Amino acid sequence: MRKNIVAGNWKMNNDLAQTNALIADLKNQEQTSNAEVMVAPTFTNLHQSFNALKDSKVEVIAQNMHFAENGAYTGEVSASMLKSVGVETVILGHSERRAYFNETDELLTKKVDAALANNIRVIFCFGEELADRKSNNHETVVKSQITNALFHLEASALQNIVLAYEPVWAIGTGETASPEQAQDMHKYIRQTLANKYDEKTANGISILYGGSVKPTNAKEIFSKPDVDGGLIGGAALKAEDFYAIVNAF
Ligand code: 13P
């Protein structure tokens, strides 16, 4: 059975003091759902966040990593460095990384391989832009993003992959994909996985939706059969809102 997951992507928000304050607020929240809960602080706050949350049910994950083990890559962070501060899951392929840091499918393939080689679980993000949806190319775009970065993997490796469908037009815009649009795409993704691998593999993969998920819309989105949770941006920066989403299952 695939898992329900709610992950908060804090992006480039919160210095150390603000991170500590948010974690203190998170620890005051009650979880009533069965979802796996994760938060992704910025690199500088990973170590502290891991220590502060290690006795809780909240997993601390990273927002990005480099594919190389170490070396002359100024400003970058490797898989083994993440592991050394307790991180076991990394977000890769976020549309902000693709758009502002020129991350291509080819680069992401290397990052995915490096993470898996280091036993780090990957939350792999992808999603179409508004123009793709308007021209009815959204499925083609998503299929190629997944195919290019993941379909070289064996079926067994997919156990360590979580997919996150984040339509670019819905990120930080307040505009959410409708629950039906999310379900249609998630179903399409699962079918694409079944065609490439098999039904069992496809049914075992958690597919998260991301893009303006809020306490007010989470329940309806999560009620869809192929939506296994959410990757949450803005609403993850307030503990009450985040747990309202966690508990929307
Ligand atoms: P918002 O929830 O702020 O739209 O961000 C979604 C996102 O990009 C999560 O990775």
Side-chain angles (χ1 to χ4, degrees):
M1 262 301 279
R2 56 186 185 258
K3 296 169 189 145
N4 291 328
I5 297 171
V6 178
N9 176 8
W10 293 352
K11 308 192 180 183
M12 197 173 75
N13 293 296
N14 293 337
D15 63 17
L16 183 56
Q18 291 164 327
T19 298
N20 283 332
L22 178 51
I23 287 175
D25 284 350
L26 289 175
K27 286 173 138 181
N28 281 330
Q29 306 299 314
E30 196 192 343
Q31 184 175 350
T32 55
S33 71
N34 67 353
E36 265 187 44
V37 182
M38 307 174 186
V39 295
T42 190
F43 284 140
T44 53
N45 295 324
L46 281 175
H47 188 207
Q48 164 61 12
S49 300
F50 178 79
N51 286 334
L53 286 165
K54 66 170 180 270
D55 297 323
S56 77
K57 283 180 21 193
V58 182
E59 181 184 347
V60 174
I61 70 173
Q63 298 178 17
N64 181 32
M65 58 165 250
H66 196 270
F67 60 80
E69 260 315 305
N70 52 47
Y73 297 98
T74 301
E76 294 290 328
V77 170
S78 72
S80 59
M81 291 169 188
L82 294 181
K83 289 205 86 172
S84 74
V85 295
V87 170
E88 294 182 338
T89 303
V90 66
I91 298 170
L92 294 177
H94 194 282
S95 62
E96 288 149 17
R97 303 270 345 148
R98 293 175 191 259
Y100 308 142
F101 304 96
N102 303 318
E103 295 205 356
T104 59
D105 292 345
E106 195 185 5
L107 175 74
L108 290 168
T109 305
K110 292 188 190 175
K111 291 192 176 201
V112 167
D113 288 347
L116 297 180
N118 282 277
N119 272 324
I120 294 184
R121 174 164 64 161
V122 173
I123 299 183
F124 185 78
C125 305
F126 52 89
E128 82 282 2
E129 296 188 23
L130 187 57
D132 304 320
R133 180 148 291 258
K134 284 195 166 152
S135 58
N136 209 26
N137 275 327
H138 46 291
E139 290 184 347
T140 312
V141 167
V142 160
K143 184 176 182 183
S144 84
Q145 288 172 322
I146 300 174
T147 304
N148 293 343
L150 301 178
F151 278 9
H152 64 290
L153 298 172
E154 301 285 333
S156 59
L158 295 200
Q159 286 171 4
N160 282 321
I161 303 272
V162 171
L163 297 179
Y165 168 56
E166 298 204 302
V168 177
W169 48 272
I171 295 179
T173 57
E175 190 173 344
T176 326
S178 69
E180 291 70 30
Q181 284 174 319
Q183 166 58 23
D184 286 351
M185 181 58 92
H186 285 219
K187 189 172 171 199
Y188 172 75
I189 294 162
R190 212 178 294 286
Q191 190 56 52
T192 304
L193 291 167
N195 294 345
K196 163 71 185 170
Y197 296 96
D198 53 74
E199 293 280 338
K200 185 162 173 269
T201 303
N203 285 328
I205 290 206
S206 297
I207 309 177
L208 315 184
Y209 168 79
S212 299
V213 178
K214 302 183 270 285
T216 45
N217 59 23
K219 208 178 188 73
E220 210 186 337
I221 296 171
F222 293 171
S223 70
K224 296 296 177 191
D226 287 294
V227 178
D228 306 309
L231 187 53
I232 319 300
L237 296 171
K238 274 186 69 189
E240 299 80 28
D241 287 353
F242 186 56
Y243 268 81
I245 295 169
V246 168
N247 292 331
F249 280 103

